[in-house]
Amino acid sequence: MTHVPMVTVLVRDYDEAIAFYTRAFGLSLLEDTAQGGGKRWVVVGAPGRGAGLRLALARTPEQLARVGDQLGGGVGFFLHVEDFDATLAAALAAGAEAMEAPRDEPHGRVVILRDLYGNLWDVIAPPA
């Protein structure tokens, strides 16, 4: 079976990113392995539930310029949640920014959030 196990998000600091994504979005630290030279293999996600985020430390000027803008200002990440209000409150308390008021769509309750680095996320509570 073919599947996408993870996607990469460029970050400025491993520990800062781990703290944000675990507090704001309730993700778990799935892996944090030293690779030498200050590099780490860091993955956050929901155990057994879809793709994880590989948190990659931006090192080159080109990578640093793309932290938070890997998609040219478009929504690039989607987070399905069970408790929309609790997730929104936790994300805002952790430093995420709501780009709009929550809205109801046929596919669920939705809000666009800007994360710690500027990446845009659709946070969605699918209909029951």
Side-chain angles (χ1 to χ4, degrees), residues 42-63:
V42 178
V43 179
V44 296
R49 298 201 54 193
L53 294 178
R54 176 181 165 252
L55 306 179
L57 187 64
R59 294 179 176 267
T60 68
E62 295 82 9
Q63 290 172 339

Side-chain angles (χ1 to χ4, degrees), residues 36-112:
K39 287 183 68 176
R40 292 158 55 184
W41 182 264
V42 178
V43 179
V44 296
R49 298 201 54 193
L53 294 178
R54 176 181 165 252
L55 306 179
L57 187 64
R59 294 179 176 267
T60 68
E62 295 82 9
Q63 290 172 339
L64 288 165
R66 287 172 177 79
V67 170
D69 192 27
Q70 295 178 178
L71 296 158
V75 173
F77 304 98
F78 300 83
L79 183 70
H80 280 194
V81 300
E82 292 179 11
D83 189 334
F84 184 88
D85 294 329
T87 300
L88 178 57
L92 295 174
E97 178 186 357
M99 304 307 295
E100 63 181 7
R103 64 188 193 285
D104 292 308
E105 298 286 344
H107 57 279
R109 186 118 176 99
V110 180
V111 67
I112 297 175

